[in-house]
Amino acid sequence: MTNRSGAGAVRPLALAWVGRHLDVGERIVRTEALHGGITAEMRRLTVGTRDGGTRDLVLRTFVDPLFVENAEELLNREADVLALLAGTAVPAPEPVAVDPTAAQCEYPSLLMTHLAGRTVLDDEGLEARVPLLARQLVAIHALRPAERPQAYEAWTTADAVVPPEGADAAAWAAATDVIRRPAPPCAGRFLHRDFHPGNVLFDVTPPSPAGPRITPANPRITGVVDWVQTSWGPADLDVAHCSTNLALLHGPAWGLRFAEAYEEAGGVLAATASERLYWRLLDGLAFATGLQWVTRPWREAGRAELTTRAAERRLDAYVTALLDTLG
């Protein structure tokens, strides 16, 4: 029976739209809200098949007015990218249907296949996962589509940077001066643009009340999700974004470590330390005004200690470490 109430409920028009894209004899038997997203509502839809089995789909719905306004571009881009990734070395969902202007659903929506695996944000096992993240990102950057996606957009400017409360004022002033410079020249690459542990699935079992999450001795990545920001730009920018997330999740040292892992996996970064510093700070400083939104899904996933204030302290330490290491 379909769950028509609570966080997992699917709105009536969207439910009817999804139904039109199922095979004959199939029906939705269960819906579940997926946590961890910041920009959209995500739901897993369990579909009963004609042979008595089930299969899962995922429904992305933009409801925030800011994202509804840009939904046509974002959802069409993601649907196109998912179609492009089919058959490549990058595991990603496959598009099923898209209603980018809410012509049939209550809100703009994308229906896609569901991938096995779960996000893992724990400190335990991180040493084994970081090289996997790096190798996966190298594989993404190796893609050469016939038609390039749009050029990347910076997510902050020097004039927009607001240091966290209690941050090292001198360090943040120096960091802001770095990104005030013109962007370094770079070779373009196919970018995920929002690559971080929260958008990567691993083959682990979920935690249970009776015991901890079970992580395989040799974990593997089962999927990369959330391709709405896909663009063309420097590999350093994707590396920078994952590095910042790792620094906030696990400590500044892991943010510094990721770039090394990326190069060990065969990735190529900017030639000079000053260029690398520019991209790393361009991403890191962009987090300063949005940490309350970034940390919320992490706490929902079980990292209760990652309050906004804790993330502010880690971001400050990471920015200082970048200046000490690359400045």
Side-chain angles (χ1 to χ4, degrees), residues 6 9 18 24 39 41 50 53 63 112 125 130 142 151 159 174 182 189 206 232 248 253 256 259 271 275 280:
V18 170
V24 175
T39 61
E41 293 180 353
R50 294 179 61 185
V63 297
M112 62 194 114
V130 163
D159 292 336
R189 293 289 183 269
W232 189 263
L248 296 176
L256 299 176
E275 291 172 334
R280 224 74 74 76

Side-chain angles (χ1 to χ4, degrees), residues 75-308:
L75 292 181
N76 279 330
R77 183 192 311 170
E78 182 166 31
D80 290 344
V81 170
L82 295 183
L84 168 71
L85 293 172
T88 71
V90 179
E94 296 180 6
V96 175
V98 61
D99 181 19
T101 61
Q104 301 177 69
C105 302
E106 289 87 347
Y107 293 96
S109 301
L110 172 66
L111 184 66
M112 62 194 114
T113 58
H114 176 268
L115 298 177
R118 291 180 178 268
T119 57
V120 185
L121 305 181
D122 305 327
D123 289 334
E124 182 181 359
L126 180 62
E127 188 171 353
R129 296 194 305 275
V130 163
L132 298 182
L133 291 169
R135 287 199 288 271
Q136 185 61 77
L137 190 55
V138 170
I140 291 171
H141 292 166
L143 296 174
R144 296 293 182 268
E147 183 176 345
R148 292 180 180 180
Q150 70 171 25
Y152 80 91
E153 295 182 7
W155 290 342
T156 193
T157 65
D159 292 336
V161 172
V162 179
E165 182 180 352
D168 185 324
W172 278 75
T176 302
D177 284 343
V178 169
I179 69 166
R180 200 180 300 277
R181 306 168 191 162
C186 62
R189 293 289 183 269
F190 184 88
L191 305 183
H192 181 283
R193 197 60 180 98
D194 195 18
F195 185 87
H196 60 80
N199 282 332
V200 179
L201 308 178
F202 286 87
D203 59 339
V204 299
T205 58
S208 69
R213 187 195 311 266
I214 300 173
T215 303
N218 297 302
R220 64 183 180 88
I221 290 174
T222 59
V224 181
V225 299
D226 197 353
W227 295 85
V228 297
Q229 300 288 352
T230 302
S231 49
W232 189 263
D236 285 79
L237 202 49
D238 262 355
V239 171
H241 192 61
C242 192
S243 296
T244 306
N245 277 273
L246 288 170
L248 296 176
L249 279 165
H250 308 293
W254 285 105
L256 299 176
R257 168 73 184 113
F258 185 69
E260 298 174 1
Y262 179 82
E263 290 188 294
E264 291 166 1
V268 178
L269 294 174
T272 69
S274 62
E275 291 172 334
R276 297 181 183 202
L277 180 64
Y278 176 91
W279 298 114
R280 224 74 74 76
L281 289 175
L282 184 67
D283 183 82
L285 299 184
F287 275 72
T289 56
L291 286 173
Q292 69 272 28
W293 306 110
V294 172
T295 56
R296 177 180 54 80
W298 294 347
R299 291 192 296 274
E300 291 175 352
R303 297 294 305 273
E305 79 282 9
L306 291 179
T307 62
T308 300

Side-chain angles (χ1 to χ4, degrees), residues 47-60:
V47 178
T49 60
R50 294 179 61 185
D51 61 5
T54 61
R55 65 186 180 99
D56 289 335
L57 299 173
V58 171
L59 179 66
R60 175 196 288 279

